[in-house]
């Protein structure tokens, strides 16, 4: 659904008498991220923007600020809000263009977007002004320079950490069992070291990582993050050298530079990549050994025997139909397959901190869910609910089109005023920019006011296709999982009178209630 365009139309000055330009609408954006900057940097940047606005005779700017967020990220909250509200302003001020974005593509795209919308972007300190002819080349050059700055900063940071690691000092995070002494220095924390030795001893004696986590939680031992222990914190991954049973620092061997972070070219999110072993920096630190090499090797051999040498990759598709769909009513933890027969609370299984212990037969639950959803989808009630939702959406869109028509009529009148002024020979410095802005606005509002091209969809056919998908394929099929999640959304598993029941939150289509192992009862349909 297209968001209504928020535009303030300023009447064109009358053709007689003294001419007055409308007040400028000004915004200012500030950001800092580097360790060498601080919160006061935001105020410094904004002060420069306020002073510039005052010198130009403009009102004080509306301020947007992002603290401790890299300019290479496009998901900065205030930055996104500024772009969404950009049509409220005539000018956006920044201390310099690197504050707006440090990615050359992002900076160029944003500048083009603002220019197209008639918003002028000014860098107060670097002198950039998109109101000048030829600003495109200047913006592109500054974007490249900002991106090179980030690359150079990353290289220098890595080089400094490399020197620290080669000297045997800490160049990364602080593992459980240690405390910081000086910059790059650490020593054994006696209380936490005792927990580490307990974990190794219990694991070698035959206890699983899950049993160890539950025992530590039962005894009230704080976890590395101060909450409860999880299996992943204990079991770890030898390939990445993380987890108490897989981190070689516990036997006095420090390994740095195992991996690196790279930024995805489209999403701009950081992605972890493993480095070849030839690039690792390995140093022996016997004074940091908490367990003996013999104990370390014994735990490693136990992990290999049990087939738990690595941790499962994150982000893999769910193997079972209801995994990740159901939640425990007692703790809110996800419901997962706890053995070959049952779904149960993962928090109770892995941490032992959930006392609910609700369980449901896997085959009964999956069969009941699929059968019930198919029945509910093909009911007349479901079809009426979906048709009502679509009708409601179309009515809302019609209201938006009516508002767009009203704004379009007003914009056309403003455009005609400008044309009349030009024909009368009254041409102000801002006449061309005002006319271009109104032309763009009319074009945009004409698109919003045009009648919809879509018609009421064949609801019954769509419901039938979803139902057929649920009926014709295995419960392990990704298509079935996708169809099911599209329909029912979220569910909470609880017990009523000793019977497992899933309370379903619909995905704006229907509300259903499933009694595992005892049939499926459609409930009230809602939107």
């Amino acid at each position: 659904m297209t968001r209504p365009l928020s535009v303030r139309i300023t009447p064109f000055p009358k053709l007689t008498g003294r001419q007055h330009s409308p007040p400028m609408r000004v915004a200012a954006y500030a950001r800092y991220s580097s360790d060498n900057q601080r919160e006061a940097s935001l105020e410094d940047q904004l002060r420069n923007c306020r002073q510039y606005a005052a010198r130009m005779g403009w009102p004080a700017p509306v301020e947007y600020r992002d603290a401790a967020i890299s300019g290479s990220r496009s998901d900065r909250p205030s930055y996104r809000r500024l772009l969404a509200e950009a049509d409220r302003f005539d000018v956006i001020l920044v201390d310099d263009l690197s504050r707006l974005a440090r990615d050359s593509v992002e900076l160029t795209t944003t500048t083009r977007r603002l220019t197209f919308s008639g918003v002028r972007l000014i860098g107060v300190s670097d002198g950039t002004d998109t109101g000048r002819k030829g600003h495109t080349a200047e913006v592109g050059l500054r974007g490249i320079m900002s991106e090179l700055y980030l690359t150079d900063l990353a290289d220098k940071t890595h080089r400094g950490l490399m020197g620290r690691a080669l000297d045997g000092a800490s160049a990364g995070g602080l593992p459980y069992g240690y405390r910081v002494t000086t910059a790059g220095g650490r020593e054994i924390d006696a209380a936490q070291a005792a927990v580490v030795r307990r974990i190794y001893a219990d694991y070698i004696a035959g206890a699983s990582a899950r049993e160890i986590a539950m025992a530590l939680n039962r005894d009230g031992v704080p976890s590395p993050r101060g909450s409860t222990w999880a299996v992943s914190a204990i079991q770890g991954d030898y390939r990445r050298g993380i987890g108490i049973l897989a981190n070689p620092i516990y036997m006095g061997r420090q390994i740095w530079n195992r991996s690196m972070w790279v930024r995805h070219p489209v999403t701009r999110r950081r992605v972890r990549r493993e480095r070849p072993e030839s690039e690792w920096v390995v140093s022996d630190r016997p004074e940091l050994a908490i367990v003996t090499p013999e104990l370390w090797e014994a735990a490693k051999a136990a992990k290999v025997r049990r087939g738990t040498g690595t941790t499962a990759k994150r982000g893999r598709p769910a193997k079972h139909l209801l995994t990740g769909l159901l939640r425990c009513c007692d703790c809110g933890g996800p419901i997962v397959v706890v053995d070959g027969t049952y779904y149960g609370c993962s928090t109770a299984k892995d941490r032992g901190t959930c006392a609910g212990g609700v369980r449901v037969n896997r085959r009964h639950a999956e069969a009941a869910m699929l059968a019930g959803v198919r029945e509910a989808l093909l009911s007349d009630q479901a079809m009426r609910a979906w048709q009502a939702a679509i009708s409601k959406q179309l009515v809302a869109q019609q209201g938006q089109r009516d508002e767009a028509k009203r704004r379009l009529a007003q914009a056309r009148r403003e455009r005609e005023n400008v044309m009349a002024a030009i024909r009368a020979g009254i041409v102000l410095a801002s006449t061309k920019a005002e006319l271009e802005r109104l032309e763009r606005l009319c074009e945009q509002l004409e698109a919003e006011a045009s009648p919809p091209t879509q018609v009421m969809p064949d609801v019954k056919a769509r419901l039938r296709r979803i139902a057929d998908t649920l009926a014709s394929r295995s419960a392990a099929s990704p298509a079935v999982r996708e169809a099911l999640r599209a329909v029912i959304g979220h569910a909470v598993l609880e017990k009523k009178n000793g019977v497992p029941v899933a309370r379903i939150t619909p995905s704006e289509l229907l509300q259903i209630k499933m009694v595992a192992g005892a049939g499926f009862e459609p409930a009230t349909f809602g939107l």
Side-chain angles (χ1 to χ4, degrees):
M1 185 183 299
T2 304
R3 182 176 66 86
L5 184 66
S6 175
V7 179
R8 180 186 301 170
I9 306 298
T10 304
F12 193 76
K14 294 181 180 179
L15 301 184
T16 60
R18 188 176 179 181
Q19 305 298 317
H20 296 278
S21 299
M24 295 291 286
R25 301 168 299 173
V26 186
Y29 176 77
R31 174 196 62 80
Y32 83 92
S33 61
S34 172
D35 292 337
N36 295 325
Q37 294 177 322
R38 62 198 190 287
E39 187 70 29
S41 174
L42 294 178
E43 185 58 33
D44 294 340
Q45 297 173 43
L46 292 172
R47 183 176 60 252
N48 289 344
C49 293
R50 294 188 208 108
Q51 292 173 351
Y52 183 90
R55 290 196 302 270
M56 299 298 293
W58 297 341
V62 178
E63 298 177 359
Y64 298 78
R65 58 183 75 195
D66 282 312
I69 304 180
S70 171
S72 62
R73 292 176 52 180
S74 62
D75 59 348
R76 291 164 274 151
S78 292
Y79 172 71
R80 301 309 304 174
R81 186 162 57 89
L82 172 63
L83 295 185
E85 300 173 356
D87 57 1
R88 294 173 45 192
F89 306 106
D90 301 305
V91 177
I92 294 177
L93 302 176
V94 291
D95 189 53
D96 63 73
L97 254 60
S98 69
R99 300 301 91 198
L100 193 67
R102 280 202 179 275
D103 178 78
S104 59
V105 176
E106 176 74 16
L107 181 60
T108 301
T109 302
T110 299
T111 304
R112 287 176 177 173
R113 173 180 172 180
L114 294 175
T115 303
F116 178 80
S117 300
V119 181
R120 183 178 167 192
L121 178 63
I122 297 177
V124 173
S125 298
D126 61 22
T128 308
D129 187 345
T130 60
R132 287 199 304 262
K133 185 177 181 181
H135 71 269
T136 304
E138 184 178 3
V139 170
L141 180 59
R142 291 193 179 279
I144 293 174
M145 291 172 63
S146 292
E147 198 162 331
L148 289 175
Y149 167 82
L150 284 183
T151 303
D152 183 59
L153 180 63
D155 289 342
K156 289 179 178 178
T157 301
H158 187 268
R159 185 165 61 248
L161 293 175
M162 174 72 76
R164 178 178 290 183
L166 290 172
D167 290 339
S170 173
L174 183 69
Y176 181 82
Y178 302 92
R179 57 171 171 255
V180 176
T181 54
T182 59
R186 54 191 174 186
E187 65 182 10
I188 294 175
D189 182 302
Q192 293 183 0
V195 177
V196 172
R197 296 187 185 99
R198 169 183 170 176
I199 290 172
Y200 272 81
D202 290 349
Y203 191 79
I204 293 172
S208 67
R210 179 172 291 108
E211 291 169 338
I212 294 172
M214 295 175 68
L216 291 172
N217 291 329
R218 187 169 56 248
D219 294 343
V221 179
S223 72
R225 296 186 179 181
S227 57
T228 57
W229 286 85
V231 173
S232 58
I234 296 172
Q235 185 165 285
D237 185 347
Y238 278 105
R239 180 177 56 89
R240 296 173 57 189
I242 59 174
I244 289 180
L245 293 174
N247 193 336
I249 189 63
Y250 294 111
M251 68 163 178
R253 179 172 298 163
Q254 177 176 281
I255 302 179
W256 180 78
N257 209 38
R258 282 178 177 265
S259 61
M260 62 180 175
W261 293 94
V262 296
R263 200 169 293 278
H264 192 281
V266 177
T267 66
R268 307 307 298 165
R269 294 185 178 277
R270 297 203 310 160
V271 179
R272 185 188 183 103
R273 287 185 178 174
E274 304 303 319
R275 295 181 184 271
E277 191 171 347
S278 59
E279 297 183 10
W280 295 0
V281 178
V282 182
S283 56
D284 290 327
R285 300 292 304 277
E287 73 280 7
L288 296 180
I290 293 178
V291 300
T292 64
E294 293 76 20
L295 205 61
W296 162 270
E297 292 297 337
K300 185 175 181 180
K303 285 174 66 68
V304 172
R305 287 196 305 270
R306 301 176 196 182
T308 57
T310 60
T311 302
K313 293 183 179 180
R314 293 183 178 181
R316 66 176 183 178
K319 183 178 179 180
H320 301 283
L321 180 66
L322 305 182
T323 297
L325 180 65
L326 298 170
R327 290 277 170 175
C328 174
C329 64
D330 293 304
C331 69
I335 298 296
V336 299
V337 171
V338 295
D339 55 36
T341 305
Y342 289 95
Y343 284 108
C345 175
S346 65
T347 304
K349 173 187 175 184
D350 294 337
R351 304 190 183 211
T353 55
C354 176
V358 60
R359 289 158 65 93
V360 58
N361 183 279
R362 182 169 63 85
R363 288 191 297 176
H364 289 173
E366 292 175 355
M369 184 74 79
L370 291 174
V373 170
R374 288 198 303 269
E375 179 182 341
L377 282 173
L378 297 178
S379 68
D380 292 338
Q381 205 170 7
M383 185 166 63
R384 288 196 299 270
W386 202 344
Q387 287 174 331
I390 295 174
S391 297
K392 183 178 180 181
Q393 183 178 6
L394 292 177
V395 169
Q397 289 178 343
Q398 181 59 49
Q400 293 174 356
R401 286 193 295 274
D402 293 341
E403 174 64 16
K405 289 178 182 178
R406 184 189 66 78
R407 293 186 175 188
L408 177 60
Q410 184 177 358
R412 284 172 174 171
R413 288 193 296 270
E414 294 295 325
R415 183 177 61 182
E416 182 57 34
N417 286 343
V418 175
M419 295 301 297
I422 293 175
R423 287 193 293 269
I426 302 176
V427 181
L428 303 177
S430 60
T431 300
K432 181 176 182 295
E434 179 69 5
L435 181 60
E436 290 177 346
R437 185 183 71 83
L438 289 170
E439 288 288 356
R440 291 193 298 268
L441 179 59
C442 287
E443 182 180 348
Q444 194 165 8
L445 290 174
E446 284 170 358
E448 292 186 16
S450 60
T453 57
Q454 74 271 23
V455 296
M456 178 72 79
D458 187 344
V459 174
K460 190 170 184 178
R462 291 190 178 187
L463 293 175
R464 169 64 68 179
R465 283 197 295 271
I466 296 175
D468 290 345
T469 299
L470 296 175
S472 63
R473 307 188 187 188
S474 165
S477 167
V480 172
R481 287 196 296 270
E482 182 179 351
L484 187 62
R485 281 159 171 74
V487 173
I488 69 174
H490 175 70
V492 175
L493 186 63
E494 59 186 21
K495 276 188 177 182
K496 288 187 176 180
N497 300 322
V499 179
V501 175
R503 289 188 290 105
I504 306 298
T505 301
S507 57
E508 298 184 353
L509 173 59
L510 51 91
Q511 293 177 357
I512 55 179
K513 182 175 66 176
M514 183 272 286
V515 180
F520 190 96
E521 177 188 356
T524 304
F525 290 88
L527 297 168

